Each structure stands twice: as C-alpha cells, then as structure tokens.
Amino acid sequence: MITISKYTLLAASAIAVLTTSGCSSTLGKADQASNKPMLLKASLHTSSEQEALENTQKPLVDEDFDTWDRVFQGFKLSNQYSKHPTVQRFVNYYGRNPAQLNLLSERASVFLHMIVDETERRGMPSELALLPFVESAFDADVFSHAGAAGLWQFIPDTGRRYGLQQAKYYDARMDPFAATGAALSYLQKLNADFNGDWLLALAAYNCGENRVQREIDRNRAKGLPTTFWHLSLPKETREYVPRLLAFKELIGNAPRYGITLPNTPNRARLAQLRVNKPVDLRQAAIQAGLEPETLLDLNPCFRRGITTPEYSNRIVTPRQNANTIAQVIEALPPANRQGVYASKSTTNYNKLATTRIKKKSRVYAQAKTKKTILTVHRGDTLLAIAQKHGTTVQALMQDNSKHSSHVKEGERLEVIATLSSQRRAS
C-alpha cells in the first residue's frame, strides 16, 4: 500500500511503449550522461510531441477540478451495460462492502491522474482507467499464480512484446508508468483488431485475441450474434468485462452506493527522477525524512530495492519530496548490488522483505479488523476473496502459509478483514 496520499505531486503521463532503457525521450545526450539526479519533465512524450501538445492543447479541466470527475466526464461505454444481469450481480457483490471500495479508491487515487491523462490524450474511454481495479486492485507490486505482474497484470511474453523488460532484479511490468503506456497501447491495438468494439478488446486483453476471434468465427458460422455477450468465452473472461462495468457503475454513482471517494484534485501525485547509479531506495527514503518503504512501494520494478540504471534510469518519487530526494541521492555512494531487502519468492521473483500486511497495519493503524474463517466455493479466486474482504492476495497467502494464489473448492482460509476505512497516516 502506497503511503503518499497527502502529497501534492507533479503531473506525469505514460507513453505508448517505452524504450528499453525506460528513460524519458525528452532527455538530451548531455542529460543522459550526467550522474546528477534530475527531475524529469512531467510528460514522457518525445520533445516534438510534447511541444505540439503544449502549443495546441489547453487543459480540458481546471486544476481545482477533481480527478474522479474528470474520469466520469470521459466515460464512453454505454450506460445500458450496467443493466445487464451479470453486471448487476457484480454491482450487488461489490456494493455490499462500501468500506472495501473506499480503500480501493484511496489506493487508486495515487495513479488515477497519470492514467486518465493518458487515456484522454489518446482519445480512449476513461473506463479503462478503472481496469486496474479488476486486474490488481491498484497494487503495483503483485503477481498472479500465472505469473502476471503489476498494475495491469502483464504476463511475461506480452510484457516483452510491448517493451517491458524483465531481468533478474528488474521487471518493467511493475513500473506503473511503463506498464500503463504498454497496457493502453495493447488495448488500442485490440480495439482496432475488433473494429472498435471495446468489450471485445477488453475480453481479448484477458484471454487473448486469438481465443476471442475463434469464438467470433464460430458464432458467425452458426449464424449467431458475435457481440461479447453471445460468445462462449472462459468463465473468467465472461466475468472480467462485467466486473469492470460494475466498478464503473459503483464508482460513477458513489453516493448512491454509500461509497466515499477520496479528495483527489486534478493534479498528478507522482514525479520522476533520473538516476544513473545504483541507489538503495530504502536508505534514500530514510535520509530524505520519509517512511523507509516509500520509494520501495513506488518502484517495485527494482526487485531488490536497488536501482538498476542499465535497465531504467528513472525512479518514481513523491513530488513534494523530489528535490530533497535528488539531493540525498547525489550525496549517496553507489549502492552494493547485493542488496539486503529481498528474498526468493515461490514464483521465482525476488520480493521485497517488507510485506503487504506490515505496510497495511502501519498505514491503517486505526482501522478495525475482524478475523474470520471461510470456505472456498466453486468459482472463487483469491483475488475476488481479497477484494471482497478489503485485504490483499499477498496478505491472504501469508496468513494461510500458501505458496501460490491458487485455491481449491472446500479449502478453508483465515481472512483478516478491514471493517472501516481510514486515511493513510501522514
């Protein structure tokens, strides 16, 4: 859980596909050669793209405008979808626990401006900015049992296809900026493949374009409709799109469902800093006067808590502290590449030693919890259980000594559920 909710940060947006270095293309050669930390421009567009945007586009909304309202203004998918029985089932399912949705929306607010700014720039429906609710519960440091990772849950092959490098101690799928650009590019490609049908594009994002196309061809051969609702897709995919549409209905009509969205002014909350040496992110945060996990949480792509400039010379920081962090990093000697903050995980990735449950207990120290034992039913997933009870997949795995997120029908799980939401501690 990211502990920066009260910071006011610099606007920043993702690019379509990042270069392999992960650095901003707005940097000149002299900038790239310098070892002095440097605050990057807000945008990661090329210099010519950024200049064109600045000269031709005016802000669509004032800074005083709330980012959630900006999301709502960009909705483009039919509101009629919310009446579909499957969507209504998930509206009722999630709507029974508004406190959990409050927690998720607070977590989402950290990344929201960055994502909606990019969907708006590309002319895409802002419903897509809500997709990480379904994919990862807006947790950038999360893996699935299938090896998908990050906010947008890229599997390794698709991640590499869209420029997200993966190495022993670095995984760009967990860089929120790089992964957002890659995900939106992939969704644009899928939307074009399916003739502008966003529901089919979303289904393909979940189960693959080839599977969706086979089902379309099969229905067409039988003279049957070929819309998303009529295709014989995997159960997960048949529920995936309705889940997103349910989140749209719930978040878009928050007061009706007893949901309190966090105050999120129309200013992004993340800045990016160019760093050209190995940096111990925990030590940098401590010396900058921040909570030790702050930079680790914002940069889970560095799997040992040490930056790897050979793969990416950018780090994400709270804008309010960016200049202080830059000064601290400039004074720090290059970090020992061995690191001490990682341990081998069961998915063959290095996980930061600070666990999700410890972060949650610190960040939400005043939140009330309730321990329950539940039985897994057919169709349940660990992600759905975690979302329903206001916890995380990692916490459930740790509390139940599980080595993967796979669950079996009849399995009993201990769940520590959050009963009420609280603001993050400052």
Side-chain angles (χ1 to χ4, degrees):
M1 190 87 50
I2 294 172
T3 60
I4 59 170
S5 64
K6 293 184 179 178
Y7 296 139
T8 301
L9 305 172
L10 177 68
S13 59
I15 58 172
V17 181
L18 298 185
T19 62
T20 55
S21 67
C23 65
S24 169
S25 56
T26 61
L27 297 176
K29 292 182 179 179
D31 294 328
Q32 295 179 25
S34 171
N35 287 323
K36 185 175 180 179
M38 182 178 115
L39 187 64
L40 302 181
K41 291 182 69 174
S43 174
L44 290 181
H45 308 297
T46 64
S47 299
S48 58
E49 286 175 334
Q50 182 64 23
E51 183 178 356
L53 285 169
E54 291 171 351
N55 290 338
T56 62
Q57 292 188 354
K58 295 181 179 180
L60 295 180
V61 289
D62 189 87
E63 275 199 353
D64 292 333
F65 202 75
D66 191 87
T67 304
W68 289 106
D69 289 329
R70 186 176 175 188
V71 172
F72 306 152
Q73 283 195 349
F75 282 166
K76 295 182 180 180
L77 303 184
S78 173
N79 290 329
Q80 294 301 310
Y81 293 141
S82 66
K83 299 178 181 179
H84 192 279
T86 309
V87 177
Q88 279 297 306
R89 176 160 63 89
F90 284 109
V91 168
N92 295 332
Y93 175 74
Y94 293 125
R96 287 196 296 266
N97 193 347
Q100 177 243 339
L101 290 171
N102 292 343
L103 290 172
L104 290 179
S105 61
E106 176 74 14
R107 189 187 301 167
S109 67
V110 175
F111 305 104
L112 190 64
H113 186 282
M114 178 263 289
I115 299 173
V116 73
D117 197 58
E118 189 63 11
T119 59
E120 190 175 88
R121 187 185 74 85
R122 296 172 185 235
M124 302 171 77
S126 62
E127 285 93 342
L128 302 178
L130 305 180
L131 193 56
F133 273 123
V134 182
E135 288 288 352
S136 62
F138 273 96
D139 188 341
D141 186 9
V142 64
F143 290 91
S144 76
H145 70 276
L151 282 179
W152 298 90
Q153 288 292 282
F154 272 98
I155 61 173
D157 287 347
T158 307
R160 281 189 285 269
R161 197 191 331 156
Y162 281 84
L164 301 178
Q165 284 199 95
Q166 297 146 60
K168 188 174 183 180
Y169 300 131
Y170 175 77
D171 193 333
R173 296 177 299 163
M174 308 182 90
D175 176 333
F177 284 83
T180 294
L184 295 182
S185 290
Y186 185 28
L187 284 163
Q188 282 183 307
K189 182 262 186 190
L190 294 171
N191 181 251
D193 288 348
F194 295 103
N195 301 312
D197 189 319
W198 280 111
L199 299 194
L200 293 178
L202 287 161
Y205 188 89
N206 179 252
C207 70
E209 50 266 57
N210 291 336
R211 176 61 188 272
V212 173
Q213 188 60 56
R214 284 199 304 272
E215 298 303 330
I216 290 174
D217 293 342
R218 183 176 290 114
N219 274 24
R220 186 176 289 127
K222 295 179 179 179
L224 299 174
T226 58
T227 69
F228 165 77
W229 308 105
H230 293 89
L231 300 183
S232 181
L233 295 167
K235 180 177 184 291
E236 178 184 332
T237 307
R238 295 198 309 272
E239 294 184 344
Y240 177 84
V241 175
R243 285 178 190 267
L244 174 63
L245 297 171
F247 276 117
K248 172 189 176 179
E249 168 66 17
L250 290 162
I251 299 299
N253 299 284
R256 180 188 305 169
Y257 297 100
I259 301 166
T260 303
L261 298 177
N263 181 31
T264 310
N266 186 35
R267 297 184 298 276
R269 305 169 70 165
L270 305 175
Q272 297 187 85
L273 193 67
R274 200 235 21 243
V275 177
N276 282 334
K277 65 181 179 182
V279 172
D280 182 323
L281 294 174
R282 183 188 292 269
Q283 287 302 315
I286 291 171
Q287 293 194 29
L290 304 176
E291 293 286 346
E293 296 85 6
T294 300
L295 295 180
L296 298 176
D297 287 342
L298 288 172
N299 297 275
C301 53
F302 302 112
R303 302 308 296 153
R304 301 191 77 171
I306 307 292
T307 63
T308 55
E310 64 268 33
Y311 296 112
S312 175
N313 64 357
R314 292 182 297 107
I315 66 169
V316 180
T317 73
R319 174 56 181 170
Q320 177 171 314
N321 307 98
N323 289 328
T324 300
I325 293 169
Q327 293 171 9
V328 166
I329 288 175
E330 186 175 7
L332 283 174
N336 183 341
R337 289 300 188 97
Q338 296 303 310
V340 294
Y341 308 129
S343 60
K344 198 72 172 177
S345 76
T346 56
T347 52
N348 296 322
Y349 287 91
N350 288 311
K351 296 290 287 180
L352 299 176
T354 305
T355 62
R356 288 286 140 193
I357 191 65
K358 287 183 179 177
K359 291 173 186 173
K360 190 172 206 177
S361 63
R362 173 179 59 78
V363 175
Y364 293 97
Q366 300 178 21
K368 297 179 180 179
T369 60
K370 178 182 179 181
K371 183 184 295 186
T372 58
I373 304 295
L374 60 81
T375 301
V376 176
H377 299 289
R378 178 176 291 184
D380 283 348
T381 66
L382 209 60
L383 177 59
I385 293 170
Q387 290 176 338
K388 180 178 179 181
H389 293 279
T391 184
T392 66
V393 171
Q394 285 76 15
L396 288 174
M397 290 174 64
Q398 177 170 318
D399 293 342
N400 292 276
S401 300
K402 292 179 65 64
H403 299 298
S404 79
S405 60
H406 179 71
V407 292
K408 297 180 180 179
E409 184 178 1
E411 181 179 354
R412 293 173 66 80
L413 296 175
E414 178 181 277
V415 180
I416 300 176
T418 301
L419 300 180
S420 61
S421 66
Q422 299 287 337
R423 289 283 186 178
R424 288 183 174 87
S426 58

